[in-house]
Amino acid sequence: MTGKTMSNKTLPEPATSTGSSPAAQPRSTWGGVAKRLLPKSYLLLVLVVIIVIGYYVSADFLTLRNAENVIAAASIVAVLAVGQFFVILTGGIDLSVGSILAMSTVIVALTLQAGMPTGISVAFTLFCCGVAGLINGLLVVWLRIPPFIATLAMMSAVKGFSYIIQSTSLIQITDQTFIDLFARGTSLGLQNPVMIFLVVMILAALVAKFTTFGRSLYAIGGNPEAARLSGLPVARNLIITYTMSGLLAGLAGLIAAAQLRQGSSLIGVGYELDAIAAVVVGGASLMGGKGDPISAVIGVFVLATIINVMNLVGISSEPQLVIKGAVIVIAVFLSSAGGVQRISGFFRSHFGRRTARAAS
């Protein structure tokens, strides 16, 4: 037994010496960071294929105005998808983000209408949305309510609360500072909504890949009990994750409110499903422990571009829902149900035998 143990301990030494060679050093710096942050190549390939199809089916697809419309609409879902990604990464789900988004538009519209300064109004709105996310986390962790049920209840409660405080059909937003900050303004040559979701995406990718908190979320999603036994603060990290999802839903609501220039409890209808679909299309597993924020955002643009192409072609909303559902089913099959392995195994078992017979 002692001899076997000693021999096992000496096995990793060659790998260590090889990894410290000069040739491997550049990969551990910028090359390693880029490799860990960049999404899977197939997502970019799918997006490029959709863009090429859009170019051939509609002359208006590659116009600047159309591109701005797609990006403006996708920026809201992109911010939502980042928060949803972290929740799904832990093996949970957040159905309340659409309602929290709507609540964000109502609160910021009411506070701006009451004369509250823009910065204080934004901070107060984000605080309220973060509290809603915090309650989600407490329901899941302390009361041990399944995430689906807890966030479904929060979705209903927040929607009712938004409707009550709204009191009118919609609340107009006329604060030009707020509109410029979250809709019309530019930073570094990019529209502010684009800059916001890019910053959120990059920060989320860095947190997921290079922080203890991010790595612990992968561990929690892979095996919560093993993560708990290994000493990870599972409860604390889950509460932080759901709070972060609420905050990002609030931020997405601010963008939506500025773009629409109004607050309404009906604005967020269906956004939670769009965010979940984007995360799944981006390759994340609904079982947890798999995926990355950049792929989730690319999933947003894959779905947004598909919908945009169908709108330009003139496909009505009902067939669009069918096509969108088919895309989601295929994405779940490939990412969570082992579709790639099953397809490759099918081809190996059938065509591999024929090749072997032909060779013999």
Side-chain angles (χ1 to χ4, degrees), residues 247-333:
L247 282 170
L248 290 177
L251 179 59
L254 295 177
I255 299 174
Q259 289 181 355
L260 299 174
R261 302 190 183 188
Q262 65 182 33
S264 173
S265 59
L266 302 178
I267 287 179
V269 175
Y271 271 99
E272 64 279 346
L273 300 180
D274 290 339
I276 294 170
V279 174
V280 172
V281 169
S285 172
L286 291 174
M287 301 300 175
K290 179 183 177 183
D292 65 89
I294 297 180
S295 294
V297 172
I298 294 178
V300 172
F301 282 94
V302 167
L303 292 176
T305 308
I306 291 174
I307 294 173
N308 180 251
V309 171
M310 290 190 291
N311 287 332
L312 292 175
V313 174
I315 299 176
S316 59
S317 58
E318 291 79 9
Q320 286 189 26
L321 293 175
V322 175
I323 296 172
K324 184 177 178 180
V327 171
I328 295 171
V329 168
I330 294 171
V332 172
F333 173 71

Side-chain angles (χ1 to χ4, degrees), residues 72-83 97-98 100-102 104-105 108 125-126 129 178 182 193 196-197 200 244-260 267-268 271 275:
S75 61
I76 300 172
V77 184
V79 175
L80 275 182
V82 172
V97 291
I100 294 176
L101 180 151
S104 173
T105 68
V108 75
T125 301
L126 292 177
C129 296
F178 174 78
F182 290 99
I196 290 171
F197 89 73
V200 169
M244 186 165 53
S245 179
L247 282 170
L248 290 177
L251 179 59
L254 295 177
I255 299 174
Q259 289 181 355
L260 299 174
I267 287 179
Y271 271 99

Side-chain angles (χ1 to χ4, degrees), residues 15-273:
T16 304
S17 60
T18 304
S20 60
S21 62
Q25 287 299 320
R27 295 183 180 180
S28 63
T29 56
W30 291 108
V33 171
K35 185 176 180 181
R36 294 179 65 182
L37 286 182
L38 288 177
K40 299 176 182 178
S41 58
Y42 79 85
L43 277 175
L44 296 174
L45 179 61
V46 169
L47 185 58
V48 170
V49 170
I50 296 171
I51 292 174
V52 171
I53 294 174
Y55 171 74
Y56 278 103
V57 300
S58 175
D60 298 325
F61 178 74
L62 286 184
T63 61
L64 179 61
R65 182 176 181 180
N66 184 62
E68 289 178 347
N69 291 336
V70 173
I71 294 174
S75 61
I76 300 172
V77 184
V79 175
L80 275 182
V82 172
Q84 189 72 249
F85 161 76
F86 282 111
V87 174
I88 290 178
L89 183 62
T90 65
I93 197 167
D94 191 349
L95 298 178
S96 66
V97 291
S99 297
I100 294 176
L101 180 151
M103 181 180 71
S104 173
T105 68
V106 173
I107 293 176
V108 75
L110 284 174
T111 52
L112 290 174
Q113 190 180 69
M116 186 178 290
T118 303
I120 299 177
S121 174
V122 168
F124 178 73
T125 301
L126 292 177
F127 172 78
C128 293
C129 296
V131 170
L134 174 64
I135 295 173
N136 277 332
L138 295 177
L139 291 175
V140 171
V141 173
W142 285 2
L143 299 185
R144 300 186 182 277
I145 299 176
F148 183 91
I149 304 300
T151 58
L152 181 64
M154 180 58 64
M155 177 181 72
S156 178
V158 169
K159 186 179 297 184
F161 175 76
S162 301
Y163 182 79
I164 291 171
I165 65 174
Q166 181 180 341
S167 74
T168 58
S169 58
L170 56 87
I171 309 163
Q172 297 292 341
I173 296 177
T174 58
D175 189 301
Q176 197 59 44
T177 302
F178 174 78
I179 294 172
D180 290 339
L181 182 60
F182 290 99
R184 297 182 59 183
T186 59
S187 300
L188 301 178
L190 296 174
Q191 292 183 347
N192 283 346
V194 179
M195 180 61 69
I196 290 171
F197 89 73
L198 284 176
V199 170
V200 169
M201 178 187 70
I202 293 171
L203 290 177
L206 293 174
V207 168
K209 296 295 183 180
F210 298 105
T211 66
T212 303
F213 172 74
R215 292 192 294 268
S216 71
L217 297 185
Y218 282 96
I220 294 170
N223 191 327
E225 189 60 28
R228 186 177 294 106
L229 294 175
S230 64
L232 292 176
V234 175
R236 185 193 70 185
N237 288 351
L238 284 176
I239 292 175
I240 293 174
T241 300
Y242 282 94
T243 304
M244 186 165 53
S245 179
L247 282 170
L248 290 177
L251 179 59
L254 295 177
I255 299 174
Q259 289 181 355
L260 299 174
R261 302 190 183 188
Q262 65 182 33
S264 173
S265 59
L266 302 178
I267 287 179
V269 175
Y271 271 99
E272 64 279 346
L273 300 180

